[in-house]
Structure formats: structure tokens, C-alpha cells
Amino acid sequence: DAGVTQSPTHLIKTRGQQVTLRCSPISGHKSVSWYQQVLGQGPQFIFQYYEKEERGRGNFPDRFSARQFPNYSSELNVNALLLGDSALYLCASSLERQYEQYFGPGTRLTVT
Amino acid sequence: KQEVTQIPAALSVPEGENLVLNCSFTDSAIYNLQWFRQDPGKGLTSLLLIQSSQREQTSGRLNASLDKSSGRSTLYIAASQPGDSATYLCAVTSPRGGSNYKLTFGKGTLLTVNP
């Protein structure tokens, strides 16, 4: 079975621009979570979606938004990019929200 | 607020050595604890999951223990190999009974196994 997939792999954007990152969960998994990992740190929780509804939000500004589609795939949007948004963005899926989470390869975002 | 600490931040050992990585968390109301491996610039690979009611889990050369009351977990790696070189991350799912089952991560331990 395919694991969690994310696209694109790498992305370079300019300050002030907007970006959309995509995630496809493992087949049958209903929950998708997004994490931001800056260099040298552990991942930080951004959002959790379950059955197409937002079930949790981390300490991130309103420039960050997400949604989950009927097929359980998800998009993370970041508006008005700042240099500090440069990071590895990780998507994780799980069968239910509290179960073992499986991570994708991540999207490396560089803001210049 | 849940906080996770991993000690040491970095560890360098010769091949074949047994080693222990440590993880501590401040709030014992966790649902489970996961250990992950991360290679440079890559995503996370789940190694072991311990439910809050369990004391340990084993997979091959890896053994993870959990002492929820003291807020501690250890990852034991037997007979280390150069291929084990990576960053190891500990994360807890909390809060138990809450509506938001997020993972809270430590900063990781960078392991280097020298041939």
C-alpha cells in the first residue's frame, strides 16, 4: 500500500506570496495533521482534520489555513509568506485521530 | 502545556555498542508515545508506539519503555550499526480525553554510529 504522499517536494517562494501544499493520506485513514519543522527543532503542530472538520489548531497565525476533502486528502495554505515560514512541512495521517500517526516525506518550503 | 525533552542532544558511538536514548514529558495525561527516526531532510519513520497502558514495546533491535507516572521513556538500541545514524524523535499524543490528539515532539537526539 502507498504511504502518505505530499506535493510538491520542494518549493521556493518570495516574501508576501501565497503557497498551497498538498497531502494524500494512507488509504482508509480519516485523520490528517500538519506539522511545521524548522531546522534543528522538533515538528510543531499546525492543524488536525478529521472527517473533513478541523479538530485542532496549534499556535500559528491566521495566515495559515487548511481543509480536508471528501476523499480525505488535505491542503495547507499559507498567505503573506514571511522568511520565518521557511521550514519542512510534514503531513501525517492516522486511522482515527488518537491512533499511530504515519508521516509523509514533507515539503521543503524556502521563502526568499 | 505539554513539554517533551530529549537527552542527550547528540550521541556518537562505535559500531556494535548498545545505547539508550532518553525522553521526558511534563504532563502524564498522555494517550500514547511514539519514537520516530528522521534522516537528514526527510520525513519521519515511526519506529515504536507505546500505549499509555503499556510498559514497553520491542521491534527487532529496538526496545522502548514507558514510565507514565514519572514522565519518562527510553529507547534502547542493541548492537548499533552505521545505518542507525539518524535523528531520533520522541513524541507524545495528548491530552488523554481531550478533543485534540496532537503530537508534541522533543527536539531529538542526533545519533552517529561510527564504523
Side-chain angles (χ1 to χ4, degrees):
Chain A
D1 287 338
V4 178
T5 60
Q6 293 186 244
S7 62
T9 304
H10 296 90
L11 207 50
I12 300 174
K13 290 287 189 178
T14 304
R15 278 176 296 177
Q17 287 187 316
Q18 175 265 343
V19 68
T20 298
L21 311 181
R22 295 177 176 83
C23 171
S24 292
I26 292 172
S27 177
H29 284 194
K30 302 175 186 176
S31 179
V32 170
S33 298
W34 288 94
Y35 293 82
Q36 180 197 65
Q37 186 179 26
V38 298
L39 202 61
Q41 301 293 316
Q44 296 291 316
F45 172 75
I46 310 176
F47 284 111
Q48 184 181 78
Y49 276 78
Y50 179 74
E51 291 284 14
K52 301 176 288 295
E53 292 187 7
E54 181 183 308
R55 296 303 184 98
R57 183 185 185 112
N59 188 23
F60 281 81
D62 291 343
R63 299 184 296 108
F64 288 76
S65 64
R67 55 180 175 169
Q68 187 177 33
F69 298 99
N71 66 353
Y72 301 110
S73 67
S74 177
E75 287 183 350
L76 175 70
N77 295 286
V78 186
N79 294 321
L81 285 167
L82 303 174
L83 294 179
D85 295 330
S86 296
L88 180 67
Y89 288 85
L90 296 162
C91 172
S93 78
S94 58
L95 198 58
E96 298 286 338
R97 290 180 296 142
Q98 68 272 35
Y99 289 6
E100 185 171 5
Q101 296 203 30
Y102 297 87
F103 282 78
T107 293
R108 171 69 62 187
L109 173 64
T110 302
V111 182
T112 62
Chain B
K1 176 188 172 186
Q2 180 73 270
E3 293 183 0
V4 178
T5 303
Q6 292 189 244
I7 296 173
L11 183 63
S12 180
V13 300
E15 182 177 3
E17 190 161 301
N18 301 325
L19 56 100
V20 174
L21 308 181
N22 296 291
C23 171
S24 62
F25 47 95
T26 55
D27 186 349
S28 62
I30 64 170
Y31 194 89
N32 57 42
L33 182 145
Q34 278 186 261
W35 282 93
F36 294 91
R37 168 186 172 137
Q38 186 173 33
D39 293 294
K42 304 294 185 182
L44 308 182
T45 300
S46 180
L47 298 173
L48 289 165
L49 170 76
I50 310 178
Q51 299 291 351
S52 62
S53 59
Q54 296 176 319
R55 297 284 293 184
E56 66 177 326
Q57 281 287 339
T58 298
S59 176
R61 295 183 295 108
L62 306 179
N63 175 275
S65 68
L66 173 64
D67 184 343
K68 200 171 66 140
S69 61
S70 67
R72 295 177 187 273
S73 176
T74 61
L75 179 66
Y76 175 83
I77 302 177
S80 59
Q81 303 171 358
D84 294 331
S85 298
T87 296
Y88 290 79
L89 292 155
C90 166
V92 295
T93 301
S94 61
R96 186 174 181 82
S99 61
N100 178 1
Y101 291 99
K102 68 175 185 179
L103 282 171
T104 302
F105 285 85
K107 293 184 179 181
T109 294
L110 176 61
L111 173 65
T112 303
V113 181
N114 301 299

